[in-house]
Amino acid sequence: MNIIACVKQVPDTETLIKVKTDGSGIEEGGIKWVMNPYDEFGVEEALRLKEKNGGEVTIVTLGPARAMESIRTALAMGADKGIHIDDASLNNGDAYTTAAALAAAIKTVPYDLIFCGQRAIDDDSGQVGSILAELLDLPQVTLVTKVEVAGSSVKAMRAIEGAQLVIESPLPCVLTAQKGLNEPRYASLPGIMKAKKKPVDIKDAAALGVTASDKAKVVKFVPPPARPPGKIIAGDDPTAKAAQLAKLLREEAKVL
Amino acid sequence: MAKGVWIVAEQREGAFRKISFELASTARKLADELGDEVCAVLVGSGVEGIAGELGKYGVDKVYVADDAIFEPYTTDAHAAAVAKIVKEKDPAILLLGASAQGKDLSSRLVGKLATGMATDCTDLRLDGGKLVAFRPMYAGKCFGEIMISSFPQMASLRPNVFSAVENAKAGAVEKFDAGIDAGQLKTKVLEVQKETSGKVDLTEANLIVSGGRGMQGPDGYSVLEELAGVLGATVGASRAAVDAGWRPQTDQVGQTGKVVSPNLYVACGISGAIQHLAGMSSSKVIVAINKDSEAPIFSKADYGIVDDLFKVVPELAKECKKLLG
Ligand SMILES: Cc1cc2nc3c(=O)[nH]c(=O)nc-3n(C[C@H](O)[C@H](O)[C@H](O)COP(=O)(O)OP(=O)(O)OC[C@H]3O[C@@H](n4cnc5c(N)ncnc54)[C@H](O)[C@@H]3O)c2cc1C
Ligand SMILES: Nc1ncnc2c1ncn2[C@@H]1O[C@H](COP(=O)(O)O)[C@@H](O)[C@H]1O
């Protein structure tokens, strides 16, 4: 079973994000880059399926040179090879551009199943998996928390508001990973050593025949709207403080 | 020339989700500014009868695809139906809800319509007749203004942020044939396991009472359940509480949980880690109850109490009960 896991490198969740003064982007200095947490779930699930069914796991990443670190991390976890789409014209592109580039790269290798994260925690757009599925003419199941492969089909649990759905799809298909799917493993030391020798194919836009489309563009980045400073309810008596809070919520904030 | 402001209405089992009315009202405002029409697409089984309700919130016309094939929701069937009518009528703007279903459908439509979309928007405006979307990025650590240069200009709206305002229009209903044959559908819903609690989902809740590691164990949540009961609120949790197995994954608020924007968010025994703040900082009013006055949650709180939550929360429940009588 050949599995693709799409992996994006993103700022660590602890990172403080600072907007450039001219609003053209964010300050990249000092950012610690990591594999998108939802993509870790995808990589882990791909590895588990490989361990059960055999085959290969291929990591596909679009991003600048530093993104290679995330590919190596996935290889150290146990993936077999990588494709790194590295072309300045495609970086920070819109979801359609990214999906088109990933689709072009994925078409060059055999696959039975594709994992994406349900969203990348930088742009938080949650679009690439579905667009990729459409461009490859594949079915999709998004927000999956459980995956079972049987023969040529997959059963996936999908979590939506107030319900869990069990959805069956023929292979190949695109699944987007939601938290709860699994606990991703850490790369072992031997894994890290081995990863250095695993093959990573580097491709540019021309090789893939894709161009940036600019259908959706962030024209300006702004810091979050400031919240007015809050009130700390003073006193030693919890009962009195609770009473005052209830009153403020009703009369001042008008939320009760 | 692309024209008209469109929405995709969301319904489950023949009842509209609240987001549908939020979408309709938002579309109405944009359309009034453009001097344009608001149209809705409604896809489902046995839904023709409810279509007209959208008129109340400013929809001029509803295109309905009503067929057993659309229930339950599958991406294949719904995306094909919406794409068909959208391609035929060529709207300028297309809005959906950023719910689980809306995100699934809208992102597939971006692929089918080869266009651009801003996800999970918290504000929309027009600039020279073009849509400008405002949305949180990096888990709300910054915001982006997005312009879409292809048609339809798509945006998905964060539930509970845009208000639903009554503004009656015709709400004329027109059926269309999505022309889908069952053979082309690849995915199948085998099972629907509904949560039996009947509680309002966190993403749609107006009031949320949330607990973290400070709850000290699964039993600690009984004080929150009690307060939630009095207020009609939904109980949420931090990741620490979910990872400890005290609460189900579906209760997690934050960067790797749910993004919520209730009118009131009460954080009890939650320190306010950056990943938690990411999920709740767009709440309208935030209350923090924590015994550590240095906890970062207080920097986001409109109201704070520094004390033992087990002393404060039961009293708060009592006081609220008195007030709400
Ligand atoms: C990749 C990644 C993703 C993450 N995603 C999320 C996410 O989606 N959501 C999330 O919540 N976290 C997330 N986290 C975890 C986050 O970093 C924090 O670890 C977590 O939010 C802490 O939960 P907490 O506030 O409940 O616990 P703690 O930080 O341990 O805080 C407990 C608080 O309770 C207070 N307290 C204790 N006892 C009492 C009492 N009796 N009365 C009053 N106060 C009391 C303490 O003073 C303290 O402030 C993520 C982390 C990573 C690395
Ligand atoms: N640049 C990228 N390289 C590889 N995979 C990506 C990239 N961007 C997005 N993806 C995949 O698509 C998912 C959703 O991303 P997004 O639509 O940007 O939120 C991510 O979790 C990744 O699996």
Side-chain angles (χ1 to χ4, degrees):
Chain A
M1 187 173 191
N2 294 306
I3 308 173
I4 308 278
C6 296
V7 165
K8 186 177 190 184
Q9 195 188 38
V10 298
D12 179 62
T13 56
E14 294 286 345
T15 306
L16 294 171
I17 298 295
K18 255 182 74 191
V19 173
K20 287 186 184 160
T21 40
D22 64 357
S24 65
I26 59 157
E27 298 281 2
E28 295 209 348
I31 289 182
K32 181 179 166 212
W33 298 93
V34 299
M35 188 190 309
N36 181 39
Y38 292 107
D39 297 348
E40 285 183 7
F41 301 131
V43 172
E44 175 63 34
E45 202 62 22
L47 294 174
R48 289 184 191 187
L49 288 169
K50 174 185 108 163
E51 283 154 9
K52 222 162 141 186
N53 304 302
E56 279 197 326
V57 175
T58 305
I59 305 301
V60 184
T61 294
L62 182 162
R66 60 166 162 73
M68 182 65 92
E69 296 157 23
S70 288
I71 300 179
R72 292 286 170 209
T73 305
L75 296 176
M77 287 167 76
D80 299 281
K81 55 191 201 314
I83 302 178
H84 183 180
I85 307 166
D86 183 1
D87 191 312
S89 73
L90 301 176
N91 290 339
N92 301 319
D94 59 21
Y96 198 90
T97 301
T98 304
L102 296 177
I106 290 170
K107 277 183 188 158
T108 65
V109 290
Y111 59 87
D112 302 297
L113 184 58
I114 300 172
F115 282 100
C116 284
Q118 64 113 333
R119 68 170 186 262
I121 62 158
D122 51 357
D123 58 39
D124 282 332
S125 97
Q127 299 184 34
V128 168
S130 303
I131 304 172
L132 178 62
E134 175 64 29
L135 295 178
L136 295 172
D137 196 19
L138 300 177
Q140 71 188 60
V141 185
T142 57
L143 295 173
V144 308
T145 53
K146 197 170 163 191
V147 173
E148 265 173 48
V149 171
S152 60
S153 72
V154 59
K155 260 197 254 177
M157 180 91 91
R158 162 172 162 78
I160 64 166
E161 300 89 357
Q164 304 275 341
L165 312 174
V166 181
I167 297 181
E168 187 181 56
S169 169
L171 294 175
C173 69
V174 173
L175 303 178
T176 78
Q178 167 67 317
K179 182 170 180 255
L181 179 58
N182 54 43
E183 272 305 320
R185 69 194 67 187
Y186 291 101
S188 65
L189 202 57
I192 294 169
M193 298 311 291
K194 268 194 229 152
K196 291 183 182 153
K197 290 191 214 94
K198 289 180 178 172
V200 178
D201 197 2
I202 297 176
K203 296 199 189 266
D204 63 13
L208 295 171
V210 288
T211 44
S213 69
D214 250 359
K215 294 174 192 300
K217 200 177 167 73
V218 188
V219 287
K220 197 172 156 199
F221 288 81
V222 289
R227 283 188 92 89
K231 270 187 200 168
I232 297 288
I233 298 168
D236 292 326
D237 176 16
T239 310
K241 285 191 282 190
Q244 204 194 336
L245 175 60
K247 200 167 159 230
L248 284 166
L249 290 178
R250 182 149 174 106
E251 290 168 12
E252 188 177 87
K254 298 192 165 58
V255 287
L256 294 186
Chain B
M1 189 27 208
K3 208 170 148 33
V5 183
W6 280 43
I7 67 167
V8 178
E10 186 173 335
Q11 56 83 30
R12 236 195 260 171
E13 294 173 344
F16 283 115
R17 309 288 285 186
K18 195 168 116 215
I19 183 70
S20 299
F21 304 132
E22 296 167 11
L23 288 166
S25 296
T26 308
R28 183 73 259 163
K29 262 201 239 155
L30 296 173
D32 284 347
E33 210 177 315
L34 291 167
D36 244 346
E37 240 188 354
V38 174
C39 298
V41 189
L42 175 62
V43 179
S45 173
V47 293
E48 195 186 351
I50 60 166
E53 283 176 39
L54 292 168
K56 231 178 24 192
Y57 293 89
V59 174
D60 298 297
K61 194 167 188 182
V62 190
Y63 292 98
V64 181
D66 197 332
D67 192 301
I69 210 167
F70 297 120
E71 187 58 44
Y73 169 88
T74 59
T75 320
D76 316 10
H78 281 241
V82 177
K84 178 162 186 262
I85 188 83
V86 165
K87 279 184 182 162
E88 196 181 308
K89 305 285 180 186
D90 193 23
I93 294 176
L94 179 62
L95 308 178
L96 290 94
S99 57
Q101 182 175 311
K103 280 185 184 163
D104 182 79
L105 177 60
S106 60
S107 54
R108 186 80 191 204
L109 285 170
V110 170
K112 279 198 187 298
L113 303 170
T115 189
M117 172 169 76
T119 309
D120 213 19
C121 302
T122 54
D123 201 7
L124 297 179
R125 64 181 167 84
L126 294 165
D127 185 347
K130 287 294 248 347
L131 185 70
V132 182
F134 190 70
R135 60 180 297 267
M137 299 176 70
Y138 298 89
K141 293 175 200 170
C142 78
F143 280 69
E145 272 188 13
I146 320 289
M147 280 189 86
I148 316 280
S149 57
S150 50
F151 291 101
Q153 305 165 78
M154 286 182 65
S156 68
L157 310 192
R158 178 174 288 192
N160 248 337
V161 171
F162 296 81
S163 37
V165 197
E166 292 200 13
N167 178 358
K169 299 284 169 191
V173 176
E174 185 177 315
K175 285 185 86 166
F176 74 99
D177 178 7
I180 295 167
D181 74 272
Q184 84 190 62
L185 304 179
K186 292 179 184 158
T187 56
K188 234 181 14 218
V189 179
L190 300 180
E191 240 180 277
V192 179
Q193 305 169 359
K194 275 192 224 163
E195 265 174 38
T196 45
S197 65
K199 73 175 190 181
V200 182
D201 189 78
L202 285 169
T203 55
E204 295 178 333
N206 275 325
L207 304 167
I208 294 174
V209 180
S210 213
R213 200 178 339 246
M215 302 314 298
Q216 293 169 12
D219 301 339
Y221 280 84
S222 61
V223 297
L224 294 191
E225 298 284 1
E226 191 193 323
L227 176 60
V230 171
L231 299 178
T234 301
V235 175
S238 72
R239 171 160 160 184
V242 169
D243 285 356
W246 303 347
R247 301 296 289 183
Q249 177 62 53
T250 46
D251 281 8
Q252 184 182 317
V253 172
Q255 193 158 16
T256 47
K258 287 183 175 153
V259 175
V260 301
S261 43
N263 289 335
L264 174 64
Y265 188 88
V266 185
C268 305
I270 292 177
S271 61
I274 195 157
Q275 298 95 345
H276 189 80
L277 300 178
M280 44 64 77
S281 52
S282 69
S283 305
K284 278 153 217 133
V285 174
I286 296 171
V287 170
I289 303 175
N290 195 306
K291 63 181 182 189
D292 173 10
S293 65
E294 298 293 310
I297 188 77
F298 286 115
S299 71
K300 290 278 172 191
D302 300 285
Y303 302 102
I305 293 184
V306 181
D307 212 325
D308 182 351
L309 73 92
F310 291 101
K311 291 188 184 142
V312 177
V313 174
E315 293 302 324
L316 184 59
K318 269 189 225 158
E319 290 298 330
C320 290
K321 201 167 183 175
K322 265 194 248 164
L323 282 178
L324 299 173

